[in-house]
Amino acid sequence: MNVEELLCEISISDLMKLINEGLTAASQSETFPKYKSDEEIVLSASTVKELEKTLASRYSGENVKIFVDNSTVRFQLENDEFQIDRLGITFPKYERVLNDTVHTSMKINSRELITLLDKINIIAALNKPAHVMVMTLNPKNNEATISARHSDYGAVYETFNAEIKHNYLQVGFNINYSLDGLKAAGNNSIVIEFSGESEQARIMRENDNSFLYLLMPVRLIAADILNKNEK
C-alpha cells in the first residue's frame, strides 16, 4: 500500500511558473518545504504539458494541493482533482555526464532566438522524426545562421548577429527540444556553450547559476545542409 504525503500547497500562478522554469527547480525552491532533496519525482514531459494546459484555464490565484506517493502525484484543486503517474526511473547526476569543454559559445537574448527558430520551424517541423535544424556559428564576424531543409518543401534560413567566441561550428539540433530549453530560460540574456558537433550543448542564463539545460545534437546528413543556390 502506498502512503500518500502532502508535498505542498501552492497557487496555480506559482505552479505555472515552476512548470515554465522547469520542474527540477522545485527541489531548490522554498515553495516546497517538505520536498526531500534526495528524492526525485520524474514525470512524462507530455503529461506535464497537458497539466499546464489544464491549469491555464483556471483562476491563477486558486490554490493547488500536491500529494505524492510511490506511484502517483495527485493535484487537488478547490473543486476538482486529477493525478499523474510517476515514472519509475532515476536520472543520473548531471554533473557526472556533463562535458564542460567549450568549443564555441554564443550570447543572445532567449526571446530573440525563439522568434528566429519559430520562423525556421515551418520547415523543420516537417523533418520527422528528428525535426532537424542546422546552426552555423562564425566567431570571425559574430554571425550565425539557422536553417532547415526538406526534400519536397524547400529550405528556409535566418541569419543574425550574436556574440560568438572561440571556433567556427556547424551543428544540428532537434528544434522542439531547442525551443523547450529556450522557453524555460525565460526572457533573459543567455549563453549557449557548445562542446562540438557531436557533443552536448548547455543553455544557461547569463550570470545566473540556477538554470542549466542540456541539449544533445543531431547527426547531420548532406540533405540537412543548405547548398550554395539556397543561400
Side-chain angles (χ1 to χ4, degrees):
M1 180 178 177
N2 293 334
V3 178
E4 189 175 56
E5 179 183 0
L6 175 64
L7 178 63
C8 72
E9 183 172 351
I10 184 173
S11 71
I12 286 181
S13 58
D14 285 341
L15 181 56
M16 291 284 280
K17 181 179 179 181
L18 284 172
I19 290 173
N20 290 329
E21 291 183 350
L23 286 176
T24 54
S27 63
Q28 303 171 359
S29 172
E30 294 181 0
T31 309
F32 284 70
K34 290 191 173 184
Y35 191 88
K36 299 176 181 178
S37 60
D38 59 347
E39 179 184 352
E40 292 184 344
I41 298 176
V42 183
L43 306 174
S44 162
S46 60
T47 304
V48 172
K49 287 185 177 180
E50 288 301 316
L51 167 63
E52 185 176 9
K53 291 179 183 177
T54 300
L55 294 177
S57 64
R58 308 295 293 247
Y59 166 56
S60 63
E62 183 178 352
N63 284 341
V64 184
K65 290 183 178 180
I66 304 175
F67 298 85
V68 295
D69 60 28
N70 293 337
S71 60
T72 60
V73 180
R74 185 165 61 91
F75 298 84
Q76 185 182 83
L77 288 81
E78 293 178 5
N79 297 306
D80 196 9
E81 69 174 59
F82 52 96
Q83 68 180 34
I84 296 176
D85 291 334
R86 294 175 63 172
L87 300 181
I89 60 175
T90 301
F91 289 111
K93 298 297 182 182
Y94 74 86
E95 296 92 343
R96 298 176 184 175
V97 298
L98 187 63
N99 181 354
D100 58 2
T101 301
V102 180
H103 179 278
T104 309
S105 69
M106 177 175 69
K107 184 168 75 171
I108 191 172
N109 180 270
S110 58
R111 292 300 175 191
E112 179 183 347
L113 189 52
I114 287 171
T115 299
L116 293 165
L117 289 179
D118 282 338
K119 295 178 181 179
I120 297 299
N121 206 15
I122 61 173
I123 294 296
L126 303 175
N127 291 327
K128 298 178 180 180
H131 304 287
V132 178
M133 65 95 175
V134 180
M135 184 175 289
T136 305
L137 306 168
N138 190 344
K140 289 185 178 181
N141 56 7
N142 281 324
E143 188 174 271
T145 300
I146 51 175
S147 62
R149 192 169 182 272
H150 190 277
S151 57
D152 295 327
Y153 298 99
V156 61
Y157 71 94
E158 292 285 339
T159 299
F160 58 97
N161 294 111
E163 186 177 319
I164 302 170
K165 295 182 179 180
H166 308 299
N167 302 291
Y168 175 91
L169 178 66
Q170 186 171 69
V171 62
F173 294 105
N174 179 304
I175 196 167
N176 292 336
Y177 297 152
S178 303
L179 284 167
D180 285 345
L182 292 169
K183 290 175 182 177
N187 187 12
N188 291 284
S189 175
I190 59 166
V191 176
I192 307 178
E193 294 181 343
F194 304 85
S195 295
E197 62 182 21
S198 60
E199 299 289 340
Q200 64 197 216
R202 299 169 296 283
I203 301 176
M204 300 168 288
R205 296 181 186 130
E206 187 181 17
N207 302 320
D208 182 355
N209 295 326
S210 68
F211 179 85
L212 173 65
Y213 185 92
L214 298 182
L215 186 62
M216 296 304 297
V218 176
R219 180 179 296 177
L220 296 176
I221 59 175
D224 296 323
I225 301 171
L226 295 180
N227 60 52
K228 293 181 179 179
N229 295 329
E230 292 171 323
K231 295 182 181 179

